[in-house]
Amino acid sequence: MFSGLLEELIQNLRRLPGIGKKSAQRLALHIIGMDKEEALKLSASIADAVKNFKNCSICNMLSEQDPCGFCSDETRQNNLLCVVENTQDVYLIENTNEYKGKYFVLNGLLSPLEGIGPDDIYFPKLLAYLKDNSVDELILALNPSAEGETTMSFLATQLKPFVKKITRLSTGLPFGGDLEYTSSITLGNALKRRYSIKDN
Amino acid sequence: MFSGLLEELIQNLRRLPGIGKKSAQRLALHIIGMDKEEALKLSASIADAVKNFKNCSICNMLSEQDPCGFCSDETRQNNLLCVVENTQDVYLIENTNEYKGKYFVLNGLLSPLEGIGPDDIYFPKLLAYLKDNSVDELILALNPSAEGETTMSFLATQLKPFVKKITRLSTGLPFGGDLEYTSSITLGNALKRRYSIKDN
């Protein structure tokens, strides 16, 4: 039903995460009706960004500079290393304002079923990093999913000899959560990892 | 927090409908991590589409050709004209497979509060169209919103002398709807416009 260029735009928009067939059609029809200058700005900024961002040679984060702003920031603690799945997670953690150490981006998680092994997630590079740098605490900030758990368990076992302390994000009730609407796994975790109120 | 090019991309993505701050950040971070070739294809198809689509000189619909495919289609009924708000609505109506007449795109709705008057929505062009062409039925397929109602009422009054019959889309229960979850205005409309089962 749509003409060639429009259909092509719809197909290209569908490659974006969370954009299904209907959203892609809606976006495409909006784009062809946009102010030409604004639409060309959008087009150019996609091209500019994709041409200028590359993985940081130290931590793998996508960045305009190499090394990235975090790796080259002398004020950040060198003895803390936070391992995340992807660049987006770096920004999520930065948003909390609770972390001032360095990062290492795995760019994936182990998935034996999909054939994703240690070499596919920069494990050798992480190992080399720990051998070259003096890291006191390695924080495994991965999702508590099947792949995340597998990866954290693998990393913890393999990296134990090279770092003093290995930690992971706490699991339990989300802030503002309601016991009634919490899954029993989450509630079970919260119970298992309960902490003394005095300690807080 | 984001670098220059990334921030620019986020701002440009936010101009798209339904894309808020969080979605724009997520899309931008996805784009910089995309396969370069695919991302450049997306960028190019936005530029190509926006450069090549323009309003049809007859019906105002955004189209690669002028006149558009609908206006130049000899097989469509010339005596039916469906007035819609924008190009997207043309495709929504085409999707129903219930209409084989011509279209006229207003590119907006009357909004006295926002200072959008008849000249801003191609009213003079619609008037000229009706004077030049023999239209038996004018279908006002606008949203049943405050602006849509205002526009339909204005068009119906002004265009009465130039067309045999003016109709609007039926209002009532949506297909698959449930009385319990229907607004009282919708239910009231459905009651007011009830029809004999035999007529159907």
Side-chain angles (χ1 to χ4, degrees), chain A residues 3 36 38 43 45 50 64, chain B residues 3 12 15 36 43 50 64:
Chain A
S3 77
K36 273 203 190 349
E38 283 198 359
S43 159
S45 72
V50 82
E64 271 188 86
Chain B
S3 77
N12 283 320
R15 295 176 206 273
K36 271 201 193 347
S43 159
V50 82
E64 272 189 86

Side-chain angles (χ1 to χ4, degrees), chain B residues 75-87:
Chain B
T75 69
R76 297 187 75 102
Q77 287 176 260
N78 274 314
N79 60 338
L80 283 178
L81 187 67
C82 181
V83 175
V84 294
E85 183 182 343
N86 54 43
T87 300

Side-chain angles (χ1 to χ4, degrees), chain A:
Chain A
M1 183 166 74
F2 298 108
S3 77
L5 286 177
L6 196 54
E7 186 56 41
E8 211 178 302
L9 178 56
I10 292 167
Q11 292 308 326
N12 283 318
L13 286 167
R14 285 192 66 180
R15 295 176 207 274
L16 298 176
I19 307 287
K21 193 177 152 195
K22 285 241 169 187
S23 309
Q25 290 178 2
R26 196 168 46 93
L27 287 175
L29 285 165
H30 176 89
I31 287 170
I32 59 171
M34 267 169 94
D35 175 77
K36 273 203 190 349
E37 204 176 315
E38 283 198 359
L40 292 176
K41 258 193 220 165
L42 169 62
S43 159
S45 72
I46 291 172
D48 284 351
V50 82
K51 281 177 195 156
N52 285 287
F53 275 77
K54 41 197 161 294
N55 293 101
C56 167
S57 55
I58 299 172
C59 76
N60 306 317
M61 178 182 163
L62 288 162
S63 169
E64 271 188 86
Q65 306 141 262
D66 188 17
C68 73
F70 297 106
C71 287
S72 56
D73 184 348
E74 305 276 342
T75 68
R76 297 187 75 103
Q77 286 177 263
N78 273 315
N79 60 338
L80 284 177
L81 187 68
C82 181
V83 175
V84 294
E85 183 181 341
N86 54 43
T87 299
Q88 188 148 8
D89 296 340
V90 172
Y91 287 109
L92 293 178
I93 288 172
E94 280 300 293
N95 257 338
T96 68
N97 268 318
E98 292 285 343
Y99 183 70
K100 297 294 170 206
K102 301 279 178 146
Y103 290 99
F104 188 90
V105 177
L106 289 178
N107 266 326
L109 295 174
L110 290 181
S111 177
L113 286 177
E114 293 180 50
I116 302 176
D119 290 354
D120 302 312
I121 62 161
Y122 290 112
F123 171 68
K125 197 170 166 183
L126 175 57
L127 192 62
Y129 187 106
L130 293 177
K131 283 178 179 167
D132 292 347
N133 295 272
S134 161
V135 173
D136 290 331
E137 184 180 350
L138 185 71
I139 303 166
L140 304 178
L142 306 180
N143 285 328
S145 61
E147 282 90 357
E149 295 290 344
T150 305
T151 310
M152 287 193 278
S153 146
F154 171 82
L155 293 178
T157 313
Q158 299 290 315
L159 302 176
K160 218 182 201 170
F162 307 98
V163 63
K164 285 187 195 138
K165 192 178 168 188
I166 301 182
T167 56
R168 55 177 288 176
L169 298 182
S170 77
T171 57
L173 301 176
F175 179 75
D178 184 322
L179 294 195
E180 196 180 344
Y181 299 112
T182 302
S183 74
S184 58
I185 295 179
T186 301
L187 195 53
N189 280 335
L191 197 62
K192 236 190 304 182
R193 294 187 231 304
R194 66 192 180 277
Y195 56 90
S196 162
I197 292 175
K198 280 184 199 150
D199 288 355
N200 202 16

